[in-house]
Amino acid sequence: MKIVQDEIRRGPWTEQEDQQLICHVNLYGDRRWDFIAKVSGLNRTGKSCRLRWLNYLHPGLKRGKMTPQEEKLVIELHSKWGNRWSRIARKLPGRTDNEIKNYWRSHMRKKTQAKKITMLLAASSFSNSRSSASDNPKLHALPSKVSRGDLFFDVGCPQISASMEIKNKERERKAENAMDDIWQEIALSEGKPITPANEFYTEDGCNFFSPELTWPTWEYSAGSPWKMHNREQKMFLPITDLSSSYYEDIEYFGG
DNA sequence: AATGACCCCAACCGCACATTA
DNA sequence: ATAATGTGCGGTTGGGGTCAT
């Protein structure tokens, strides 16, 4: 006889699933995700539960737009550490690695594109004032939609904008997806070469304005079925007496 | 108003590493 | 010592929302 297992659920979480997960994390702590996935009755994988908790349900999360300070810090830290999103996230209280990663991809790319345009325009007008933008193969390679309202600055050149309505958008999109290109572009636009992420790394060297992220963690009492691993202990700074008002005490944020 | 293009972000995947049995 | 299991991380994808035409 074949045991038919309930199919593992995927995709967006419902309000009810969220409540169930919160309830069980409160009971068992935010570790043993496979266990939580099983006992909660959620037909989700442990990984999925962990991700939902860390990226969405965690009480310490900060929602909303990145502040200019946060943006600056992300840029600074990324120049030091590269795509070490989780490490960068630890320096931004309430922000997740996923959030920073997404932010970087969307916002930094736009910023880079905008910079590239100004550089190309400057180069174009300097090197060859006779040729039009449409003659310039480099300008053909520019993204077709750079003048959206949320761009970091206004390109402000209607002739160029018109010339940028390029036909082969598919090719551009694929090119844009290459993360390495983005880093190269950023390095170029900043006028400095890319350096290995670890080269300048010191844990102390990044105290800009944010204090070390202190994620709330769970008390592991003697009676608790869970024990914190050495690795995990290292991940969290000591926090005293969270037991009484775990959620209420979680507030940081900013400077 | 309809449609297509694009952006944002939640969620997934695969891999690597740590821990446990 | 090692296989199995659990967790963390970086990269990628897909769907919904928004904007431009």
Side-chain angles (χ1 to χ4, degrees):
Chain A
M1 191 176 118
K2 196 177 172 185
I3 296 170
V4 180
Q5 253 191 328
D6 287 347
E7 194 150 320
I8 295 294
R9 271 184 56 78
R10 295 166 184 277
W13 284 64
T14 65
E15 182 78 24
Q16 195 193 346
E17 284 179 311
D18 282 347
Q19 291 307 318
Q20 259 179 280
L21 181 57
I22 290 169
C23 175
H24 284 83
V25 171
N26 285 334
L27 278 174
Y28 302 113
D30 59 349
R31 295 286 143 183
R32 315 304 297 263
W33 292 108
D34 276 359
F35 176 79
I36 288 172
K38 275 183 193 131
V39 300
S40 64
L42 296 161
N43 283 328
R44 298 273 185 175
T45 63
K47 280 181 101 168
S48 181
C49 293
R50 173 183 169 269
L51 207 66
R52 183 63 178 174
W53 175 257
L54 289 180
N55 287 339
Y56 196 82
L57 299 173
H58 197 291
L61 288 179
K62 199 178 183 180
R63 318 295 299 178
K65 284 196 165 188
M66 290 266 192
T67 65
Q69 289 95 334
E70 284 175 320
E71 186 192 320
K72 191 179 167 206
L73 185 60
V74 169
I75 292 168
E76 193 73 36
L77 293 178
H78 186 274
S79 74
K80 284 187 178 187
W81 298 335
N83 299 0
R84 307 296 301 274
W85 304 117
S86 60
R87 177 177 283 176
I88 293 170
R90 277 175 223 142
K91 299 291 176 187
L92 284 120
R95 301 294 186 186
T96 68
D97 57 346
N98 210 30
E99 193 176 7
I100 293 169
K101 186 168 55 183
N102 284 332
Y103 173 81
W104 182 269
R105 268 193 69 84
S106 54
H107 291 75
M108 291 301 113
R109 183 173 62 199
K110 280 194 290 186
K111 193 171 188 175
T112 302
Q113 286 168 353
K115 274 192 176 182
K116 190 162 75 176
I117 290 163
T118 47
M119 286 175 71
L120 284 169
L121 287 176
S124 175
S125 62
F126 176 77
S127 64
N128 190 356
S129 58
R130 286 172 304 169
S131 63
S132 68
S134 57
D135 299 330
N136 189 334
K138 282 187 176 179
L139 289 176
H140 276 295
L142 291 173
S144 60
K145 200 168 183 179
V146 292
S147 55
R148 285 281 281 267
D150 55 354
L151 200 53
F152 277 69
F153 63 89
D154 187 8
V155 173
C157 181
Q159 296 95 325
I160 300 300
S161 298
S163 76
M164 290 190 300
E165 291 300 328
I166 314 296
K167 304 282 192 290
N168 52 353
K169 293 185 177 181
E170 189 55 37
R171 199 173 55 189
E172 291 174 5
R173 274 182 73 84
K174 280 180 184 169
E176 282 176 18
N177 281 339
M179 294 289 285
D180 287 348
D181 289 352
I182 296 173
W183 316 141
Q184 289 298 337
E185 288 167 6
I186 289 167
L188 288 172
S189 69
E190 299 289 343
K192 57 187 176 189
I194 286 204
T195 50
N198 294 328
E199 198 165 297
F200 304 118
Y201 167 66
T202 62
E203 202 58 63
D204 296 328
C206 53
N207 291 325
F208 296 99
F209 62 88
S210 291
E212 181 81 40
L213 170 59
T214 56
W215 282 111
T217 186
W218 298 92
E219 286 242 10
Y220 289 80
S221 64
S224 166
W226 313 123
K227 245 179 68 183
M228 200 182 257
H229 304 146
N230 289 340
R231 180 169 53 131
E232 290 156 354
Q233 286 173 340
K234 278 186 241 159
M235 289 171 65
F236 296 97
L237 296 178
I239 297 177
T240 54
D241 196 24
L242 280 173
S243 53
S244 56
S245 55
Y246 176 71
Y247 290 105
E248 291 84 353
D249 284 346
I250 296 158
E251 195 176 11
Y252 153 54
F253 283 125

